[in-house]
Amino acid sequence: MSLFIEIVVSLLILFGTIFLLGGAVGILRFPDTYCRMHALGKGTTMGIICFMLAATIYFVWSGIGLSVQSILSLVFISISSPIGSHMIAKAAYHYGIPLWKESVRDDLKEDCEFIREDNADY
């Protein structure tokens, strides 16, 4: 395998590790659930994408061939991880988990009031 491909694969693994480490530090350091979900969603998505790209490039250039499973897992993780973390954060908001006391904006407040008024008859 060429030196260039080895460097690219190594850099992707390094970047994936940095993203995952950043997500883990964000979970420990951020003040509320919503900031933590943001760190977790971004960190894990980018980290896993970097790992899967590194694996795909390695297998293609080593002669094993292109794996359809790795391409499908890239697409699946790219779509499902951000949507999942968004839905968990939105569910936490609807269950009444409070925002951080120094939060500046609450974009969901108007939407939730509209939903509560709309369902007041039930």
Side-chain angles (χ1 to χ4, degrees):
M1 187 173 358
S2 71
L3 181 63
F4 177 72
I5 298 301
E6 290 178 4
I7 291 172
V8 168
V9 169
S10 298
L11 285 175
L12 282 170
I13 291 172
L14 178 67
F15 290 151
T17 304
I18 290 170
F19 280 121
L20 289 173
L21 180 65
V25 169
I27 288 174
L28 296 174
R29 300 282 302 171
F30 283 158
D32 67 347
T33 303
Y34 309 103
C35 293
R36 291 178 185 148
M37 286 304 300
H38 177 73
L40 183 66
K42 298 291 182 186
T44 56
T45 302
M46 292 303 296
I48 292 172
I49 286 174
C50 286
F51 284 145
M52 292 306 297
L53 278 175
T56 302
I57 292 171
Y58 175 78
F59 289 136
V60 167
W61 283 96
S62 66
I64 295 174
L66 182 64
S67 173
V68 176
Q69 288 90 357
S70 63
I71 300 296
L72 288 176
S73 64
L74 270 169
V75 171
F76 180 72
I77 293 294
S78 307
I79 293 171
S80 66
S81 182
I83 292 172
S85 59
H86 170 76
M87 294 308 295
I88 291 171
K90 196 166 182 179
Y93 188 86
H94 285 291
Y95 277 110
I97 295 176
L99 295 171
W100 182 39
K101 61 184 175 190
E102 296 182 26
S103 292
V104 178
R105 290 176 56 174
D106 186 2
D107 291 337
L108 286 177
K109 187 174 184 179
E110 294 174 7
D111 292 339
C112 287
E113 289 173 359
F114 176 74
I115 290 171
R116 287 185 186 116
E117 290 173 6
D118 194 33
N119 291 330
D121 298 332
Y122 297 109

